Amino acid sequence: MFKKLKKWAETINAMQPQFDASIFDDSIASQTEWGPLQGGGSNFKTHKLKDEGPLRMAFRATTGMILFSAVFFCVGAGLLIGFGLYKFYSTTPFEWMDLFLGLMGLLFAGVGAFLYLNSTQPIIFDKAHGYFYKGRKNTDRNSEKPRVKHLVKLEEIHALQLIEEYNSGSDSSYYSYEINLILKDASRINVIDHGNLFQVREDANTLSGFLKVPVWDAISR
């Protein structure tokens, strides 16, 4: 069964039109992957590029993204507090439904906390030290180079890639849009991925001027 599903997915993928990177007249563009790098994404604006000085730009979480995270956390915290107060004053014995409510509270609160921490992680372009990094850095006292998962020298960035992904679910379908860094070895690093096309293009053009690299826009709309 899994082999049939895999074959079906490969067939569907083969039927989709492939992006012609030759329009950029650059050998690195032809070596680069043009499919989505970050699966999923969101259907609303989660980040916006901020000018933090002549030598630094950063993507910061939008108010909408922070509120979205807060809703999950508050619902979970409310369930846990309500459940705790109920059991404190109740004389009824513990039941499986009590466990379910407690786990649901933990789940919602955990999802909210994860969304907040993930969306507010620093995404920094720092000319002062010559690095792009994504993630909370663990500073080394003997070096100004941040130690994070996604880290690259600015001089290694060859271009900015814009691509789209169609996300389809049982309840809704939407497009999300990625800004990716294309490095000189044709590898890619995802910067952001959300559903506001206007903001993605505006931020990419601003970042292009800051980094002095081209934008390779493969979005069909």
Side-chain angles (χ1 to χ4, degrees):
M1 179 180 178
F2 289 108
K3 290 183 178 180
K4 289 183 178 179
L5 288 173
K6 182 179 179 182
K7 186 176 181 181
W8 174 80
E10 290 174 348
T11 302
I12 294 298
N13 186 59
M15 292 172 62
Q16 296 179 348
Q18 300 298 309
F19 179 73
D20 182 11
S22 64
I23 64 172
F24 299 120
D25 193 25
D26 190 306
S27 60
I28 292 180
S30 300
Q31 300 171 43
T32 299
E33 294 290 333
W34 289 92
L37 178 59
Q38 187 83 6
S42 64
N43 61 353
F44 64 96
K45 180 172 66 177
T46 62
H47 291 81
K48 185 176 181 180
L49 188 65
K50 302 288 186 180
D51 185 343
E52 300 187 345
L55 299 178
R56 181 183 172 100
M57 300 202 81
F59 280 95
R60 300 298 184 185
T62 61
T63 302
M65 183 64 215
I66 293 174
L67 290 175
F68 183 72
S69 306
V71 167
F72 276 88
F73 184 81
C74 289
V75 168
L79 282 173
L80 288 173
I81 293 172
F83 170 73
L85 290 174
Y86 170 75
K87 294 308 295 180
F88 181 79
Y89 290 105
S90 175
T91 58
T92 59
F94 186 85
E95 298 179 354
W96 285 109
M97 183 56 69
D98 297 330
L99 177 62
F100 173 77
L101 290 174
L103 290 175
M104 286 298 294
L106 286 173
L107 176 62
F108 273 85
V111 168
F114 171 79
L115 289 173
Y116 177 79
L117 291 173
N118 186 62
S119 63
T120 58
Q121 66 176 330
I123 305 175
I124 308 295
F125 294 85
D126 186 354
K127 281 187 175 180
H129 299 108
Y131 285 96
F132 160 81
Y133 62 92
K134 182 177 181 179
R136 290 177 171 81
K137 62 181 179 180
N138 180 13
T139 55
D140 184 344
R141 293 183 180 180
N142 299 318
S143 173
E144 293 182 335
K145 176 180 175 181
R147 290 181 286 146
V148 291
K149 183 178 180 181
H150 300 290
L151 172 70
V152 66
K153 290 183 178 180
L154 295 182
E155 64 188 28
E156 290 298 315
I157 301 173
H158 185 74
L160 301 174
Q161 180 189 55
L162 301 188
I163 53 177
E164 63 187 350
E165 178 184 8
Y166 182 68
N167 298 284
S168 179
S170 57
D171 297 326
S172 64
S173 299
Y174 61 92
Y175 281 94
S176 63
Y177 308 96
E178 298 181 8
I179 298 179
N180 298 321
L181 305 180
I182 298 180
L183 307 186
K184 291 182 178 180
D185 62 358
S187 63
R188 301 185 296 169
I189 296 176
N190 176 255
V191 182
I192 53 99
D193 179 15
H194 64 70
N196 189 307
L197 177 56
F198 175 82
Q199 191 67 60
V200 163
R201 280 190 166 134
E202 182 178 68
D203 288 345
N205 288 329
T206 302
L207 195 55
S208 171
F210 179 74
L211 297 173
K212 303 296 189 268
V213 298
V215 176
W216 290 347
D217 192 340
I219 297 173
S220 60
R221 298 189 283 165

